[in-house]
Amino acid sequence: MSHKILVLPGDGIGPEIVQQGLKLLACLSEDFSLDIHVEQALLGGVAVDECGVPLPDATLEQARAADAILLGAVGGPKYDDLPREQRPERGLLALRSELNLFANLRPALLYPQLAAASTLKDEVVAGLDIMIVRELTGGIYFGQPRGVETLTGGERRGFNTLEYRESEIERIGHSAFVTAQRRNRRLCSVDKANVLEVSELWRETMQRVAADYPDVELTHMYVDNAAMQLVRAPKQFDVIVTTNMFGDILSDCAAMLTGSIGMLPSASLDGRNKGLYEPIHGSAPDIAGRDEANPLATLLSIAMLLRYSLGQAEIADRIEAAVGDVLQTGCRTADIQTADGRLVGTEAMGDAVIAALRERQ
Ligand code: NAD
């Protein structure tokens, strides 16, 4: 079966880390007999430079036709003063919403070799493996009405609307339960049902969806407690499902448990396994073009792409294991450098993972 993958290098370190991803995709074609067709297109600042918009129509068309999309990162200081609609990040938001990518999967996984890189004690984080499923296209970031208005008397009032329909809660619920079924079958739904009516509906709906997944244990937690538990005893969680804004905050908190954002991949999925895969970090303009960026989050994003969009879980496992092998040899980019580590650049780290993967064939 042939798989069409659209690659969007983007800005800053995007092209460097994606280059390692392209090498990995070529290796998967050559050595693992996957029939992969790769196309490249423009998104973000580079698209603004060449086409005047951050998401050109041609890119959107190619994205619609692809089975999966791999993104580097977008944005940079050069574009910060552009009108809001032309900013690189707008292109990414538009792409997610055009493709209806409502389920954002963000693993927080700590390779044991990097336990010392976490700000938390070894025993709290060693073996950490959490998956946060964040609703990505609804909630307070999109709710209407929104704005800033001037009241009589001159004082200004800012307002946003938090809303979720039952159908939106149900579909993210199903994604989260299926994700939990593929893991340790424990799902914690995070809300603020003691204060918010929307959260009451969220909780009620999650309970109803749970009836379809008797093999998954569903629990509920208020978001303030979840934030506390994530830094107190993070290993109690398997899969967390939550709203757009709560997920935004909690997933960054979980990411920090693992030491470096250079290690963490993500997937944004529609209801039919099509997905956009990207490292969670940005375009890191401070280190762009210096062969310093950690490409592992990008390579691990490809592992997620294989697992969720191409149905190749076994090869995904092998890529993740190959990353572990490379870390075990002491190979480190600057962001994950430890006292006993051997400093390498972006290219060398990419090559090392591919060599380790070939050894695992
Ligand atoms: P950032 O994630 O780009 O960088 C934060 C820090 O982490 C920097 O010191 C950077 O050098 C370091 N870092 C990030 N990725 C790394 C990697 N792979 N290896 C080693 N070190 C790494 O966040 P920022 O500086 O706030 O944002 C820079 C630009 O990226 C902004 O324009 C922002 O809007 C954009 N951004 C894009 C995305 C995306 O494309 N999805 C996400 C976040 C930020």
Side-chain angles (χ1 to χ4, degrees):
M1 190 178 162
S2 152
H3 307 290
K4 214 185 271 181
I5 297 178
L6 181 65
V7 173
L8 306 168
D11 310 313
I13 59 169
E16 300 164 58
I17 52 177
V18 157
Q19 183 56 33
Q20 309 316 308
L22 290 170
K23 291 195 296 202
L24 175 59
L25 290 173
C27 164
L28 294 173
S29 288
E30 285 158 23
D31 296 8
F32 289 80
S33 311
L34 288 185
D35 189 4
I36 291 177
H37 293 270
V38 175
E39 281 180 18
Q40 289 199 42
L42 301 172
L43 179 79
V46 66
V48 173
D49 289 343
E50 294 208 14
C51 314
V53 287
L55 174 59
D57 290 343
T59 299
L60 183 56
E61 226 166 87
Q62 283 172 282
R64 286 194 207 283
D67 297 308
I69 301 153
L70 176 70
L71 168 68
V74 297
K78 178 176 164 195
Y79 309 103
D80 284 350
D81 296 329
L82 286 175
R84 190 171 284 274
E85 285 314 310
Q86 275 177 36
R87 297 224 188 116
E89 294 79 359
R90 278 280 152 157
L92 179 53
L93 287 178
L95 184 63
R96 286 176 182 154
S97 110
E98 287 289 336
L99 297 181
N100 209 10
L101 304 173
F102 64 86
N104 185 217
L105 271 57
R106 284 190 39 174
L109 188 143
L110 182 67
Y111 280 88
Q113 298 87 349
L114 298 181
S118 174
T119 46
L120 269 69
K121 291 185 195 127
D122 274 20
E123 64 267 26
V124 177
V125 288
L128 183 76
D129 183 1
I130 302 176
M131 178 71 82
I132 296 186
V133 180
R134 163 188 170 196
E135 199 291 323
L136 199 60
T137 53
I140 196 164
Y141 292 173
F142 294 92
Q144 295 289 348
R146 61 192 295 164
V148 178
E149 64 180 9
T150 305
L151 303 169
T152 8
E155 189 186 7
R156 287 188 302 158
R157 182 181 84 100
F159 54 97
N160 288 87
T161 304
L162 171 59
E163 61 171 345
Y164 271 112
R165 290 169 185 228
E166 280 178 301
S167 54
E168 289 176 295
I169 306 171
E170 276 167 12
R171 66 180 187 177
I172 191 71
H174 285 294
S175 299
F177 275 101
V178 169
T179 304
Q181 279 182 322
R182 290 178 172 156
R183 294 172 43 102
N184 295 320
R185 296 168 192 267
R186 288 185 295 111
L187 178 63
C188 178
S189 171
V190 170
D191 62 38
K192 190 71 184 167
N194 49 345
V195 178
L196 301 172
E197 285 78 0
V198 184
S199 278
E200 276 176 39
L201 182 67
W202 177 277
R203 193 174 277 221
E204 220 178 86
T205 309
M206 283 295 164
Q207 266 153 358
R208 203 171 56 238
V209 173
D212 292 348
Y213 304 88
D215 53 336
V216 176
E217 178 204 350
L218 173 68
T219 54
H220 304 273
M221 196 178 277
Y222 297 138
V223 63
D224 41 347
N225 187 25
M228 187 174 79
Q229 295 300 331
L230 267 178
V231 285
R232 192 187 73 85
K235 284 188 274 184
Q236 69 184 281
F237 297 109
D238 176 23
V239 180
I240 291 174
V241 62
T242 192
T243 59
N244 202 342
M245 184 164 73
F246 293 165
D248 190 3
I249 299 164
L250 292 181
S251 58
D252 266 23
C253 175
M256 260 329 286
L257 303 175
T258 70
S260 171
I261 55 173
M263 291 298 299
L264 295 175
S266 75
S268 304
L269 307 175
D270 69 3
R272 286 169 299 169
N273 294 331
K274 178 164 176 156
L276 169 75
Y277 298 84
E278 55 178 318
I280 69 158
H281 59 71
S283 59
D286 52 330
I287 56 167
R290 300 195 339 212
D291 192 41
E292 280 179 25
N294 184 347
L296 293 179
T298 307
L299 302 182
L300 292 169
S301 296
I302 293 179
M304 288 189 88
L305 184 157
L306 290 169
R307 181 172 290 119
Y308 293 102
S309 286
L310 306 195
Q312 297 285 348
E314 205 229 323
I315 303 179
D317 288 345
R318 279 201 241 182
I319 295 173
E320 286 161 359
V323 168
D325 292 346
V326 170
L327 293 174
Q328 190 62 36
T329 66
C331 232
R332 300 280 188 272
T333 43
D335 58 310
I336 50 171
Q337 177 64 307
T338 42
D340 53 347
R342 184 165 43 85
L343 188 64
V344 298
T346 311
E347 281 276 344
M349 184 59 107
D351 291 341
V353 172
I354 290 163
L357 180 64
R358 289 204 162 112
E359 288 209 354
R360 279 188 167 264
Q361 217 190 337

